[in-house]
């Protein structure tokens, strides 16, 4: 029996990093497929504008959730922001990179990048996997990078964070596969 995209992953999807770039494009694609969206990023104004645009264009519900997923307490705020919505698809897309010699990078910026690019996807999966397992269907999308397949000079820490995401995704695919 074939299951439609909305049946498999709906009725709600979460997209982090949704205010621009890849996250914004993913949100538009999901809205076009009929999923209601929780749009998460730091830029509240951009999220509000995008949510309104998606509501009008696709007749879905789109809720902005302005949140810094680099903050140590982001998971609690994210879970609270989702509430009791039937979340079926989680897109962990937020991220950023630092370029240049590793020894020249600001230690605080390195910590922030590690938090957003690696810790956040790990904690997001941990927070929402039980709900998806209980549903018996759903999915996670983790945004990676070609730089996650090998170390790149002048991008050492970014490559490392994306390598972490790559291997996290592979392992979780195996762990969650029995739960559909």
């Amino acid at each position: 029996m074939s299951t439609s995209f909305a049946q498999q992953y709906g009725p709600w999807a979460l997209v982090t990093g949704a205010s621009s770039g890849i996250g914004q494009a993913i949100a538009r694609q999901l809205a076009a497929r009929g999923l209601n969206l929780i749009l998460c990023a730091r830029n509240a104004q951009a999220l509000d504008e995008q949510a309104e645009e998606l509501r009008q264009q696709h007749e879905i519900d789109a809720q902005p959730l302005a949140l810094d997923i680099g903050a140590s307490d982001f998971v609690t705020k994210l879970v609270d922001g989702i509430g009791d919505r039937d979340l079926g698809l989680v897109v962990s897309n937020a991220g950023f990179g630092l370029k240049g010699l590793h020894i020249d990078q600001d230690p605080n910026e390195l910590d922030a990048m590690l938090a957003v690019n690696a810790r956040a996807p790990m904690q997001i999966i941990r927070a929402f996997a039980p709900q998806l397992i209980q549903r018996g269907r759903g999915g996670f999308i983790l945004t990676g990078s070609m730089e996650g397949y090998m170390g790149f000079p002048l991008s050492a820490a970014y490559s490392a964070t994306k390598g972490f995401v790559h291997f996290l995704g592979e392992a979780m695919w195996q762990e969650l596969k029995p739960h559909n």
Side-chain angles (χ1 to χ4, degrees):
M1 178 177 162
S2 176
T3 303
S4 78
F5 190 88
Q7 288 172 321
Q8 176 71 24
Y9 299 108
W12 284 91
L14 165 67
V15 181
T16 69
S19 62
S20 64
I22 294 170
Q24 187 176 58
I26 290 171
R28 287 180 177 149
Q29 289 293 316
L30 295 176
R33 289 177 176 243
L35 270 66
N36 297 313
L37 298 171
I38 297 137
L39 306 170
C40 180
R42 292 176 297 172
N43 187 333
Q45 181 178 348
L47 289 176
D48 288 343
E49 291 169 4
Q50 183 178 8
E52 184 58 33
E53 174 187 321
L54 294 175
R55 283 186 210 110
Q56 289 180 9
Q57 288 181 355
H58 301 288
E59 298 181 5
I60 58 137
D61 192 354
Q63 296 298 315
L65 180 59
L67 183 62
D68 179 0
I69 68 166
S72 61
D73 63 345
F74 90 94
V75 166
T76 301
K77 292 177 181 178
L78 184 61
V79 169
D80 289 347
I82 301 295
D84 62 355
R85 292 180 180 93
D86 184 10
L87 191 63
L89 182 62
V90 178
V91 181
S92 180
N93 169 73
F96 70 94
L98 299 173
K99 303 298 180 189
L101 290 173
H102 184 73
I103 61 172
D104 292 339
Q105 299 301 323
D106 178 274
N108 293 322
E109 289 183 28
L110 286 168
D111 283 344
M113 184 177 64
L114 182 63
V116 171
N117 293 4
R119 183 175 54 88
M122 178 180 64
Q123 296 295 345
I124 287 169
I125 291 172
R126 174 59 193 91
F128 295 110
Q131 181 177 339
L132 271 62
I133 289 169
Q134 186 175 12
R135 289 178 92 243
R137 65 189 190 286
F140 287 99
I141 297 174
L142 308 178
T143 302
S145 170
M146 290 303 296
E147 291 191 33
Y149 290 94
M150 64 182 278
F152 276 74
L154 305 178
S155 191
Y158 177 77
S159 295
T161 65
K162 290 304 179 174
F164 180 92
V165 170
H166 176 83
F167 291 113
L168 176 66
E170 283 185 353
M172 292 312 305
W173 175 73
Q174 286 292 332
E175 286 186 28
L176 296 174
K177 189 176 180 180
H179 304 286
N180 199 23

